């Protein structure tokens, strides 16, 4: 597997080794020892799967009381995946990194706790899978508005389909300090 460090400390882009031929392919999407050697020494406690249509944007989400680390990947279709550093003492606070994840490139993104996360769907449909280091705790979930001009994410979509929660979220500068890391 190939692991690339992004400009945001702790945010890792991973490409598992795929074995394929004319019949299809095989790849390990997670193997604890190998991922620990790459610096991802966490215990995953929950796996999630979401399906979304073209133009859907989900995020930017995070949990405050039980922050989640996530290992994310796409098994059908393609998404533009984004992580925003919301660690108050980080030199890259408020900066974002985005990458296209797809069923064709098999790439994964490890998003450590302390980041807000979101994605938008580029294909007709996308199946998005992610492993989490903490259980989902809706009472501690927070959202930052997807198009915050202070963050300046260059989304590849102008008018996404959003949930009410995502369309009415605050800007990063309006998030209470106790809701950041």
């Amino acid at each position: 597997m190939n692991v690339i460090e992004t400009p945001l400390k702790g945010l890792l882009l991973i490409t598992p080794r795929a074995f394929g031929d004319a019949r299809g392919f095989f790849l390990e999407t997670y193997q604890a020892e190998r991922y620990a050697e790459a610096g991802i020494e966490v215990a995953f406690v929950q796996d999630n799967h979401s399906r979304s249509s073209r133009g859907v944007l989900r995020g930017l989400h995070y949990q405050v009381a039980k922050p989640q680390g996530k290992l994310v990947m796409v098994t059908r279709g393609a998404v533009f995946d984004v992580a925003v550093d919301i660690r108050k003492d980080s030199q890259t606070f408020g900066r974002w990194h985005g990458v296209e994840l797809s069923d064709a490139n098999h790439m994964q993104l490890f998003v450590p706790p302390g980041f807000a996360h979101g994605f938008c769907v580029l294909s007709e449909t996308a199946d998005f899978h992610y492993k989490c280091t903490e259980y989902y705790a809706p009472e501690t979930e927070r959202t930052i508005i997807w198009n915050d001009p202070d963050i300046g994410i260059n989304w590849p979509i102008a008018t996404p389909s959003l949930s009410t929660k995502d369309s009415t979220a605050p800007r990063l500068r309006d998030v209470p300090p106790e809701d950041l890391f």
Side-chain angles (χ1 to χ4, degrees), residues 86-130:
I86 57 171
R87 300 170 294 184
K88 293 180 278 196
D89 296 330
S90 171
Q91 293 180 344
T92 55
F93 176 80
R95 288 188 41 203
W96 66 277
H97 184 77
V99 64
E100 183 174 323
L101 303 177
S102 73
D103 59 0
N105 67 24
H106 305 295
M107 287 194 280
Q108 301 172 322
L109 192 64
F110 177 68
V111 182
F115 284 78
H117 175 258
F119 66 90
C120 70
V121 178
L122 305 174
S123 54
E124 202 57 39
T125 304
D127 282 2
F128 190 83
H129 291 255
Y130 53 109

Short mmCIF file of all heavy atoms in Angstrom, two decimals, residues 86-130:
data_model
loop_
_atom_site.label_atom_id
_atom_site.label_comp_id
_atom_site.label_asym_id
_atom_site.label_seq_id
_atom_site.Cartn_x
_atom_site.Cartn_y
_atom_site.Cartn_z
N ILE A 86 -9.58 21.71 12.24
CA ILE A 86 -10.23 22.59 13.23
C ILE A 86 -9.58 22.42 14.60
O ILE A 86 -10.22 22.62 15.63
CB ILE A 86 -11.76 22.38 13.26
CG1 ILE A 86 -12.13 20.94 13.57
CG2 ILE A 86 -12.40 22.85 11.95
CD1 ILE A 86 -13.62 20.73 13.83
N ARG A 87 -8.30 22.10 14.60
CA ARG A 87 -7.51 22.02 15.82
C ARG A 87 -6.98 23.42 16.11
O ARG A 87 -6.13 23.93 15.37
CB ARG A 87 -6.37 21.01 15.67
CG ARG A 87 -6.89 19.59 15.34
CD ARG A 87 -5.77 18.66 14.97
NE ARG A 87 -5.17 19.10 13.69
CZ ARG A 87 -4.22 18.43 13.05
NH1 ARG A 87 -3.75 17.30 13.54
NH2 ARG A 87 -3.73 18.88 11.91
N LYS A 88 -7.47 24.04 17.18
CA LYS A 88 -7.18 25.45 17.48
C LYS A 88 -5.69 25.79 17.51
O LYS A 88 -5.31 26.88 17.10
CB LYS A 88 -7.79 25.85 18.83
CG LYS A 88 -9.29 25.87 18.85
CD LYS A 88 -9.83 26.27 20.21
CE LYS A 88 -9.83 25.07 21.13
NZ LYS A 88 -10.65 25.23 22.33
N ASP A 89 -4.85 24.89 17.99
CA ASP A 89 -3.43 25.16 18.12
C ASP A 89 -2.61 24.70 16.92
O ASP A 89 -1.38 24.78 16.93
CB ASP A 89 -2.88 24.52 19.40
CG ASP A 89 -3.50 25.12 20.65
OD1 ASP A 89 -3.87 26.31 20.62
OD2 ASP A 89 -3.63 24.40 21.66
N SER A 90 -3.28 24.23 15.88
CA SER A 90 -2.58 23.73 14.70
C SER A 90 -2.12 24.90 13.82
O SER A 90 -2.82 25.90 13.67
CB SER A 90 -3.53 22.83 13.89
OG SER A 90 -2.95 22.50 12.65
N GLN A 91 -0.95 24.74 13.23
CA GLN A 91 -0.44 25.74 12.29
C GLN A 91 -1.29 25.81 11.03
O GLN A 91 -1.22 26.79 10.29
CB GLN A 91 1.01 25.44 11.92
CG GLN A 91 1.97 25.62 13.07
CD GLN A 91 3.40 25.33 12.66
OE1 GLN A 91 3.66 24.72 11.63
NE2 GLN A 91 4.34 25.76 13.49
N THR A 92 -2.09 24.76 10.79
CA THR A 92 -2.94 24.74 9.58
C THR A 92 -4.42 24.87 9.93
O THR A 92 -5.28 24.47 9.15
CB THR A 92 -2.68 23.45 8.77
OG1 THR A 92 -2.89 22.31 9.61
CG2 THR A 92 -1.27 23.42 8.20
N PHE A 93 -4.72 25.47 11.09
CA PHE A 93 -6.12 25.67 11.50
C PHE A 93 -6.89 26.39 10.39
O PHE A 93 -6.43 27.40 9.85
CB PHE A 93 -6.20 26.49 12.79
CG PHE A 93 -7.61 26.82 13.20
CD1 PHE A 93 -8.38 25.88 13.85
CD2 PHE A 93 -8.17 28.05 12.91
CE1 PHE A 93 -9.70 26.15 14.22
CE2 PHE A 93 -9.47 28.34 13.28
CZ PHE A 93 -10.23 27.39 13.94
N GLY A 94 -8.06 25.84 10.04
CA GLY A 94 -8.91 26.46 9.04
C GLY A 94 -8.54 26.12 7.60
O GLY A 94 -9.26 26.50 6.68
N ARG A 95 -7.46 25.37 7.40
CA ARG A 95 -7.08 24.98 6.04
C ARG A 95 -7.76 23.66 5.68
O ARG A 95 -8.07 22.85 6.55
CB ARG A 95 -5.57 24.87 5.92
CG ARG A 95 -4.91 26.25 5.94
CD ARG A 95 -3.44 26.24 5.64
NE ARG A 95 -3.03 25.35 4.58
CZ ARG A 95 -1.80 24.86 4.47
NH1 ARG A 95 -0.87 25.19 5.35
NH2 ARG A 95 -1.49 24.05 3.47
N TRP A 96 -7.93 23.46 4.40
CA TRP A 96 -8.61 22.26 3.92
C TRP A 96 -7.71 21.51 2.93
O TRP A 96 -6.80 22.08 2.35
CB TRP A 96 -9.93 22.62 3.26
CG TRP A 96 -9.79 23.43 2.00
CD1 TRP A 96 -9.62 24.79 1.92
CD2 TRP A 96 -9.80 22.95 0.66
NE1 TRP A 96 -9.51 25.17 0.60
CE2 TRP A 96 -9.63 24.06 -0.19
CE3 TRP A 96 -9.93 21.69 0.09
CZ2 TRP A 96 -9.59 23.96 -1.59
CZ3 TRP A 96 -9.90 21.57 -1.29
CH2 TRP A 96 -9.73 22.71 -2.11
N HIS A 97 -8.05 20.24 2.76
CA HIS A 97 -7.41 19.41 1.74
C HIS A 97 -8.51 18.57 1.12
O HIS A 97 -9.34 17.99 1.84
CB HIS A 97 -6.33 18.53 2.34
CG HIS A 97 -5.58 17.74 1.31
ND1 HIS A 97 -4.61 18.30 0.51
CD2 HIS A 97 -5.68 16.45 0.92
CE1 HIS A 97 -4.14 17.39 -0.31
NE2 HIS A 97 -4.78 16.25 -0.08
N GLY A 98 -8.52 18.48 -0.20
CA GLY A 98 -9.53 17.69 -0.89
C GLY A 98 -8.90 16.75 -1.89
O GLY A 98 -7.82 17.02 -2.44
N VAL A 99 -9.59 15.65 -2.14
CA VAL A 99 -9.09 14.64 -3.07
C VAL A 99 -10.29 13.89 -3.65
O VAL A 99 -11.32 13.73 -2.99
CB VAL A 99 -8.12 13.67 -2.36
CG1 VAL A 99 -8.82 12.88 -1.26
CG2 VAL A 99 -7.45 12.74 -3.35
N GLU A 100 -10.16 13.45 -4.90
CA GLU A 100 -11.20 12.61 -5.48
C GLU A 100 -10.96 11.17 -5.07
O GLU A 100 -9.88 10.62 -5.26
CB GLU A 100 -11.21 12.72 -7.01
CG GLU A 100 -12.34 11.90 -7.62
CD GLU A 100 -12.48 12.08 -9.13
OE1 GLU A 100 -12.27 13.21 -9.63
OE2 GLU A 100 -12.81 11.08 -9.80
N LEU A 101 -12.00 10.57 -4.48
CA LEU A 101 -11.98 9.15 -4.14
C LEU A 101 -12.97 8.47 -5.07
O LEU A 101 -14.09 8.98 -5.27
CB LEU A 101 -12.41 8.94 -2.69
CG LEU A 101 -11.62 9.65 -1.60
CD1 LEU A 101 -12.23 9.37 -0.23
CD2 LEU A 101 -10.16 9.25 -1.64
N SER A 102 -12.60 7.31 -5.60
CA SER A 102 -13.50 6.63 -6.54
C SER A 102 -13.30 5.13 -6.51
O SER A 102 -12.30 4.63 -5.98
CB SER A 102 -13.28 7.15 -7.96
OG SER A 102 -12.06 6.65 -8.48
N ASP A 103 -14.24 4.43 -7.13
CA ASP A 103 -14.11 2.99 -7.25
C ASP A 103 -13.01 2.63 -8.24
O ASP A 103 -12.50 1.51 -8.22
CB ASP A 103 -15.44 2.33 -7.64
CG ASP A 103 -16.00 2.84 -8.97
OD1 ASP A 103 -15.39 3.71 -9.63
OD2 ASP A 103 -17.09 2.36 -9.35
N ALA A 104 -12.58 3.57 -9.05
CA ALA A 104 -11.51 3.31 -10.02
C ALA A 104 -10.13 3.50 -9.41
O ALA A 104 -9.21 2.73 -9.71
CB ALA A 104 -11.67 4.23 -11.24
N ASN A 105 -9.95 4.50 -8.53
CA ASN A 105 -8.60 4.74 -7.99
C ASN A 105 -8.36 4.02 -6.65
O ASN A 105 -7.22 3.97 -6.20
CB ASN A 105 -8.29 6.23 -7.88
CG ASN A 105 -9.12 6.98 -6.86
OD1 ASN A 105 -9.65 6.44 -5.90
ND2 ASN A 105 -9.24 8.29 -7.09
N HIS A 106 -9.40 3.50 -6.01
CA HIS A 106 -9.29 2.73 -4.76
C HIS A 106 -8.66 3.51 -3.61
O HIS A 106 -8.30 2.91 -2.60
CB HIS A 106 -8.50 1.43 -4.96
CG HIS A 106 -9.00 0.54 -6.03
ND1 HIS A 106 -10.23 -0.08 -5.98
CD2 HIS A 106 -8.45 0.17 -7.22
CE1 HIS A 106 -10.40 -0.81 -7.07
NE2 HIS A 106 -9.35 -0.66 -7.84
N MET A 107 -8.51 4.81 -3.73
CA MET A 107 -7.85 5.58 -2.68
C MET A 107 -8.72 5.71 -1.45
O MET A 107 -9.95 5.69 -1.53
CB MET A 107 -7.44 6.95 -3.20
CG MET A 107 -6.27 6.89 -4.15
SD MET A 107 -5.53 8.50 -4.46
CE MET A 107 -6.64 9.16 -5.66
N GLN A 108 -8.06 5.86 -0.31
CA GLN A 108 -8.70 6.08 0.98
C GLN A 108 -8.11 7.34 1.59
O GLN A 108 -6.97 7.71 1.28
CB GLN A 108 -8.44 4.92 1.93
CG GLN A 108 -8.90 3.57 1.43
CD GLN A 108 -8.44 2.45 2.35
OE1 GLN A 108 -7.32 2.47 2.86
NE2 GLN A 108 -9.29 1.46 2.54
N LEU A 109 -8.86 7.97 2.46
CA LEU A 109 -8.35 9.10 3.22
C LEU A 109 -8.53 8.79 4.69
O LEU A 109 -9.64 8.42 5.11
CB LEU A 109 -9.10 10.38 2.84
CG LEU A 109 -8.50 11.70 3.33
CD1 LEU A 109 -7.13 11.96 2.71
CD2 LEU A 109 -9.44 12.86 3.04
N PHE A 110 -7.45 8.92 5.46
CA PHE A 110 -7.56 8.80 6.90
C PHE A 110 -7.70 10.21 7.46
O PHE A 110 -6.81 11.04 7.31
CB PHE A 110 -6.36 8.09 7.54
CG PHE A 110 -6.47 8.06 9.04
CD1 PHE A 110 -7.45 7.28 9.65
CD2 PHE A 110 -5.65 8.82 9.84
CE1 PHE A 110 -7.59 7.26 11.04
CE2 PHE A 110 -5.77 8.81 11.22
CZ PHE A 110 -6.75 8.03 11.82
N VAL A 111 -8.85 10.46 8.09
CA VAL A 111 -9.18 11.76 8.67
C VAL A 111 -9.10 11.60 10.19
O VAL A 111 -9.99 10.98 10.78
CB VAL A 111 -10.59 12.22 8.24
CG1 VAL A 111 -10.89 13.60 8.79
CG2 VAL A 111 -10.74 12.18 6.71
N PRO A 112 -8.06 12.14 10.82
CA PRO A 112 -7.94 11.97 12.27
C PRO A 112 -8.93 12.85 13.03
O PRO A 112 -9.49 13.80 12.48
CB PRO A 112 -6.50 12.38 12.56
CG PRO A 112 -6.11 13.28 11.46
CD PRO A 112 -6.93 12.88 10.26
N PRO A 113 -9.15 12.56 14.32
CA PRO A 113 -9.96 13.47 15.13
C PRO A 113 -9.36 14.88 15.06
O PRO A 113 -8.15 15.05 14.93
CB PRO A 113 -9.83 12.90 16.55
CG PRO A 113 -9.48 11.45 16.34
CD PRO A 113 -8.64 11.42 15.09
N GLY A 114 -10.25 15.87 15.14
CA GLY A 114 -9.79 17.26 15.05
C GLY A 114 -10.00 17.87 13.68
O GLY A 114 -9.56 18.98 13.42
N PHE A 115 -10.68 17.14 12.82
CA PHE A 115 -10.98 17.62 11.47
C PHE A 115 -12.49 17.58 11.24
O PHE A 115 -13.17 16.67 11.71
CB PHE A 115 -10.32 16.74 10.41
CG PHE A 115 -8.85 16.97 10.25
CD1 PHE A 115 -7.95 16.45 11.16
CD2 PHE A 115 -8.36 17.71 9.20
CE1 PHE A 115 -6.59 16.65 11.03
CE2 PHE A 115 -7.00 17.94 9.05
CZ PHE A 115 -6.11 17.40 9.97
N ALA A 116 -13.00 18.57 10.51
CA ALA A 116 -14.36 18.50 9.98
C ALA A 116 -14.25 17.80 8.63
O ALA A 116 -13.24 17.94 7.92
CB ALA A 116 -14.95 19.89 9.82
N HIS A 117 -15.27 17.04 8.26
CA HIS A 117 -15.20 16.21 7.06
C HIS A 117 -16.47 16.36 6.23
O HIS A 117 -17.57 16.49 6.77
CB HIS A 117 -15.02 14.74 7.47
CG HIS A 117 -15.07 13.81 6.33
ND1 HIS A 117 -16.18 13.06 6.04
CD2 HIS A 117 -14.15 13.51 5.38
CE1 HIS A 117 -15.93 12.33 4.96
NE2 HIS A 117 -14.71 12.58 4.55
N GLY A 118 -16.31 16.32 4.92
CA GLY A 118 -17.46 16.35 4.02
C GLY A 118 -17.09 15.83 2.65
O GLY A 118 -15.91 15.66 2.33
N PHE A 119 -18.10 15.59 1.83
CA PHE A 119 -17.85 15.15 0.46
C PHE A 119 -19.03 15.54 -0.42
O PHE A 119 -20.15 15.74 0.05
CB PHE A 119 -17.59 13.64 0.37
CG PHE A 119 -18.77 12.77 0.73
CD1 PHE A 119 -19.68 12.36 -0.24
CD2 PHE A 119 -18.96 12.34 2.04
CE1 PHE A 119 -20.76 11.55 0.09
CE2 PHE A 119 -20.03 11.53 2.38
CZ PHE A 119 -20.94 11.13 1.41
N CYS A 120 -18.75 15.66 -1.73
CA CYS A 120 -19.83 15.84 -2.71
C CYS A 120 -19.69 14.77 -3.78
O CYS A 120 -18.58 14.33 -4.10
CB CYS A 120 -19.83 17.25 -3.30
SG CYS A 120 -18.47 17.62 -4.39
N VAL A 121 -20.83 14.36 -4.30
CA VAL A 121 -20.88 13.25 -5.24
C VAL A 121 -20.69 13.76 -6.66
O VAL A 121 -21.42 14.65 -7.12
CB VAL A 121 -22.20 12.47 -5.10
CG1 VAL A 121 -22.27 11.34 -6.11
CG2 VAL A 121 -22.34 11.94 -3.68
N LEU A 122 -19.72 13.16 -7.37
CA LEU A 122 -19.40 13.55 -8.74
C LEU A 122 -20.03 12.63 -9.78
O LEU A 122 -20.23 13.04 -10.92
CB LEU A 122 -17.87 13.52 -8.93
CG LEU A 122 -17.06 14.36 -7.94
CD1 LEU A 122 -15.57 14.12 -8.15
CD2 LEU A 122 -17.41 15.83 -8.09
N SER A 123 -20.33 11.40 -9.40
CA SER A 123 -20.89 10.40 -10.31
C SER A 123 -22.41 10.35 -10.17
O SER A 123 -22.98 11.02 -9.31
CB SER A 123 -20.29 9.02 -9.99
OG SER A 123 -20.46 8.72 -8.62
N GLU A 124 -23.05 9.56 -11.00
CA GLU A 124 -24.51 9.43 -10.93
C GLU A 124 -24.96 9.00 -9.54
O GLU A 124 -25.92 9.50 -8.98
CB GLU A 124 -24.99 8.44 -12.00
CG GLU A 124 -26.42 8.60 -12.38
CD GLU A 124 -26.77 9.98 -12.90
OE1 GLU A 124 -25.97 10.59 -13.63
OE2 GLU A 124 -27.87 10.47 -12.55
N THR A 125 -24.24 8.03 -8.96
CA THR A 125 -24.47 7.52 -7.61
C THR A 125 -23.11 7.20 -7.00
O THR A 125 -22.18 6.86 -7.73
CB THR A 125 -25.32 6.23 -7.65
OG1 THR A 125 -26.53 6.48 -8.33
CG2 THR A 125 -25.63 5.73 -6.26
N ALA A 126 -23.02 7.31 -5.69
CA ALA A 126 -21.77 6.93 -5.02
C ALA A 126 -22.09 6.18 -3.73
O ALA A 126 -22.97 6.59 -2.98
CB ALA A 126 -20.90 8.15 -4.72
N ASP A 127 -21.36 5.10 -3.51
CA ASP A 127 -21.39 4.38 -2.25
C ASP A 127 -20.13 4.75 -1.48
O ASP A 127 -19.02 4.51 -1.96
CB ASP A 127 -21.45 2.87 -2.47
CG ASP A 127 -22.83 2.38 -2.85
OD1 ASP A 127 -23.75 3.21 -2.97
OD2 ASP A 127 -22.99 1.16 -3.03
N PHE A 128 -20.35 5.32 -0.30
CA PHE A 128 -19.26 5.86 0.52
C PHE A 128 -19.19 5.02 1.80
O PHE A 128 -20.18 4.89 2.51
CB PHE A 128 -19.61 7.32 0.85
CG PHE A 128 -18.51 8.11 1.48
CD1 PHE A 128 -17.53 8.69 0.70
CD2 PHE A 128 -18.47 8.28 2.85
CE1 PHE A 128 -16.52 9.44 1.29
CE2 PHE A 128 -17.47 9.02 3.45
CZ PHE A 128 -16.49 9.59 2.66
N HIS A 129 -18.02 4.44 2.05
CA HIS A 129 -17.81 3.60 3.22
C HIS A 129 -16.79 4.25 4.13
O HIS A 129 -15.81 4.81 3.65
CB HIS A 129 -17.28 2.22 2.82
CG HIS A 129 -18.26 1.39 2.08
ND1 HIS A 129 -18.91 0.33 2.65
CD2 HIS A 129 -18.75 1.47 0.82
CE1 HIS A 129 -19.73 -0.21 1.77
NE2 HIS A 129 -19.65 0.47 0.66
N TYR A 130 -17.04 4.18 5.45
CA TYR A 130 -16.04 4.70 6.36
C TYR A 130 -16.07 3.98 7.69
O TYR A 130 -17.10 3.60 8.19
CB TYR A 130 -16.16 6.21 6.55
CG TYR A 130 -17.50 6.76 6.93
CD1 TYR A 130 -17.73 7.28 8.20
CD2 TYR A 130 -18.55 6.82 6.01
CE1 TYR A 130 -18.95 7.83 8.55
CE2 TYR A 130 -19.77 7.36 6.35
CZ TYR A 130 -19.97 7.86 7.62
OH TYR A 130 -21.19 8.38 7.97
#
